[in-house]
Amino acid sequence: MKSISLDITKAAQFLNPGAVDAYEAQAKAAHQSLEDSTCPGNDFLGWLHLPSSITPAFMDEVQTCANTLREKCEVVVVAGIGGSYLGARAIIEALGNSFSWLINNKKNPTIVFAGNNIGEDYLAELTTYLKDKKFGVINISKSGTTTETALTFRLLKKQCEEQRGKEETKDVIVAITDANKGAARICADKEGYKSFVIPDNVGGRFSVLTPVGLLPIACAGFDIKALVQGATDMEKQTSLDVPFAENIAEQYASVRNALYAQAGKKIEIIVNYQPKLHFIGEWWKQLYGESEGKEHKGIFPTSCDFTTDLHSMGQWIQDGERTIFETVLSVEQPNENLLFPHDEENLDGLNFLAGKRVDEVNKMAELGTRLAHVDGGVPNILLSIPELNAYYIGQLIYFFEVACGISGNILSVNPFNQPGVEAYKKNMFALLDKPGYEAESKAIHERLANEK
């Protein structure tokens, strides 16, 4: 079986000779601190050996629940925000048909994502769409009080009960939440919903291989056993005992920190040449941004979809400020085979491509862009994925997770907390006059009055 692979040569050339190898001791120490649970945030390391600890019986339980939703629902709404939906959406879109939502007589339910915003138009349009649908809900929230998700779930619960009745609703709402406490747990127990536990020691952005990700992915019809097997194999391939020169997680963590500390590269752009990988980039942005953006430190993670964004961001990447580097996701073999046709009139001048696979054109665009960007002063890291299937996506997910833990420890931040996320919530609750926020409400209203 093949594996994803890493090539850092077009990034290392922007550093002094031996600069990446010089990180070996730091990378191994950072990795060791994960294994020893001595790093900051060590109470959130449950993801580290999660893949190899998932039992066949547990996957069967998840699959059985997914099968029930698949049988009873035309649409399954996944209600969650941040890590509670990004991983599932990334994998479902990477593995799915780009036009699945338009296909009639399909065997899989449509998966819709909500609870990740407070857009009134979005929610109104969602509830209208669901009016004539047999729908179910996967409610993902450890506390059950996260504003975006709780607001959405209240709307959906009421609508589901009105359309299907309370008894039938019990079979089509699933809670993924805390084992013992919180509003979502109380609601699930009271209403008799099937529930799964979000482990206390797994943070949201590392939770895709828990029921948070596995249940929606299984509902969409994808092979969660292959996904977990890929992650398990990558767990072995990036283990602490794998030599630094062969350990792609330690290599990736090291080269990006070297570019940041020694070459002034403050922005990392994750790039794909397959539209299906767009949400892999969104998931990756949360994973690295929320893990490393601490103490006024950290690489800014962003993403581009090529070749599309070459016609919008390409100029800036080629000739703009030299504070960036790219990590390119390259899919070696597409799942389909489409040949470019010959045209007698050849008005577009593209007959030189006749008979070639469309992917060959895409690959040459990828290679040409990498050469141009490197020549323009943009270090390039290449991450090759043999093909888009559940096994290799499982590898990719775990690779990025363990590399993130190592990289955050090299940076000397706590990769597993997110204190900055609470600032906007406090202001929002104060502005909405939430009980318990009276002092904050008074202070913020006085501040706004003074700023007028």
Side-chain angles (χ1 to χ4, degrees):
M1 183 70 77
K2 285 185 172 182
S3 178
I4 64 172
S5 60
L6 184 76
D7 183 351
I8 64 170
T9 55
K10 297 299 184 183
Q13 72 183 52
F14 289 84
L15 299 164
N16 292 328
V20 176
D21 290 341
Y23 270 82
E24 178 174 357
Q26 283 180 269
K28 284 296 182 186
H31 201 164
Q32 184 75 59
S33 72
L34 295 175
E35 291 290 347
D36 294 345
S37 296
T38 56
C39 63
N42 54 41
D43 49 345
F44 282 96
L45 291 172
W47 58 272
L48 187 60
H49 295 297
L50 178 63
S52 59
S53 70
I54 299 173
T55 65
F58 181 72
M59 280 190 280
D60 287 343
E61 181 185 359
V62 173
Q63 189 65 58
T64 298
C65 180
N67 290 345
T68 298
L69 291 172
R70 286 164 58 80
E71 291 166 8
K72 294 179 179 288
C73 300
E74 300 169 79
V75 178
V76 175
V77 183
V78 179
I81 195 167
S84 294
Y85 95 100
L86 277 170
R89 185 165 191 176
I91 293 171
I92 288 169
E93 297 212 1
L95 299 179
N97 185 305
S98 301
F99 302 94
S100 61
W101 55 284
L102 292 173
I103 298 172
N104 293 321
N105 301 318
K106 57 189 178 183
K107 60 182 179 179
N108 300 315
T110 298
I111 309 297
V112 176
F113 295 90
N116 50 68
N117 64 65
I118 319 175
E120 186 168 357
D121 289 350
Y122 182 91
L123 290 170
E125 290 160 7
L126 173 63
T127 55
T128 300
Y129 165 73
L130 295 172
K131 277 183 179 178
D132 61 348
K133 306 290 192 302
K134 291 183 177 179
F135 76 91
V137 183
I138 301 173
N139 185 39
I140 306 172
S141 176
K142 187 171 281 191
S143 67
T145 57
T146 302
T147 304
E148 295 88 344
T149 306
L151 186 155
T152 298
F153 180 66
R154 182 184 287 201
L155 289 168
L156 295 175
K157 177 177 181 290
K158 183 175 185 293
Q159 183 173 355
C160 194
E161 288 175 347
E162 289 174 347
Q163 291 180 203
R164 307 191 71 158
K166 282 187 73 74
E167 282 303 310
E168 192 176 339
T169 294
K170 291 180 181 179
D171 295 331
V172 295
I173 291 183
V174 180
I176 303 177
T177 187
D178 189 88
N180 303 303
K181 62 184 185 296
R185 167 52 58 195
I186 293 169
C187 177
D189 291 345
K190 177 177 177 291
E191 301 289 353
Y193 301 149
K194 172 68 177 175
S195 65
F196 291 93
V197 171
I198 303 173
D200 286 338
N201 60 354
V202 179
R205 58 190 177 275
F206 290 87
S207 68
V208 65
L209 297 174
T210 73
V212 168
L214 295 179
L215 181 59
I217 293 164
C219 283
F222 301 116
D223 188 346
I224 57 173
K225 291 185 178 179
L227 181 80
V228 170
Q229 187 60 58
T232 301
D233 289 350
M234 184 52 59
E235 183 184 329
K236 296 173 185 173
Q237 292 172 38
T238 56
S239 64
L240 183 61
D241 59 358
V242 174
F244 177 74
E246 302 167 19
N247 193 314
I248 61 173
E250 293 174 356
Q251 289 275 312
Y252 177 61
S254 295
V255 71
R256 62 194 305 277
N257 274 280
L259 289 168
Y260 175 64
Q262 299 175 18
K265 304 302 180 182
K266 308 294 186 183
I267 301 167
E268 180 176 9
I269 307 172
I270 197 162
V271 169
N272 72 77
Y273 286 81
Q274 294 285 348
K276 293 182 179 186
L277 293 177
H278 172 82
F279 268 92
I280 290 288
E282 296 301 301
W283 170 81
W284 172 88
K285 280 156 60 175
Q286 190 214 4
L287 179 66
Y288 280 80
E290 208 167 65
S291 295
E292 293 192 324
K294 317 278 169 67
E295 302 171 22
H296 298 174
K297 295 190 288 187
I299 298 165
F300 182 80
T302 188
S303 61
C304 281
D305 301 322
F306 287 171
T307 59
T308 303
D309 287 338
L310 288 174
H311 296 263
S312 59
M313 291 298 294
Q315 173 62 42
W316 193 94
I317 294 169
Q318 187 70 46
D319 289 337
E321 190 176 58
R322 301 295 78 183
T323 54
I324 59 174
F325 66 100
E326 291 175 311
T327 294
V328 178
L329 302 181
S330 179
V331 179
E332 295 173 15
Q333 187 64 247
N335 293 323
E336 305 292 343
N337 190 331
L338 183 64
L339 300 181
F340 194 77
H342 177 82
D343 184 86
E344 288 297 330
E345 295 187 9
N346 194 30
L347 295 176
D348 53 20
L350 293 179
N351 271 352
F352 72 99
L353 298 175
K356 294 182 183 294
R357 290 184 68 178
V358 172
D359 188 62
E360 182 179 348
V361 181
N362 197 32
K363 287 291 195 305
M364 294 307 100
E366 177 185 321
L367 178 58
T369 302
R370 290 190 67 224
L371 292 170
H373 287 182
V374 169
D375 289 346
V378 181
N380 259 239
I381 299 166
L382 180 65
L383 193 59
S384 297
I385 306 163
E387 60 184 284
L388 289 184
N389 63 28
Y391 177 79
Y392 292 121
I393 294 296
Q395 285 195 343
L396 184 70
I397 291 294
Y398 186 81
F399 159 77
F400 275 132
E401 287 182 347
V402 71
C404 183
I406 295 167
S407 183
N409 283 331
I410 291 174
L411 192 61
S412 299
V413 298
N414 179 349
F416 309 116
N417 67 357
Q418 52 279 338
V421 176
E422 301 305 314
Y424 93 89
K425 294 180 183 179
K426 185 176 75 171
N427 288 342
M428 178 178 68
F429 292 148
L431 289 164
L432 289 169
D433 298 319
K434 182 177 180 178
Y437 284 79
E438 289 80 7
E440 291 86 352
S441 179
K442 180 181 179 182
I444 202 166
H445 282 295
E446 288 177 352
R447 171 185 168 182
L448 292 172
N450 291 333
E451 289 178 356
K452 285 183 179 179

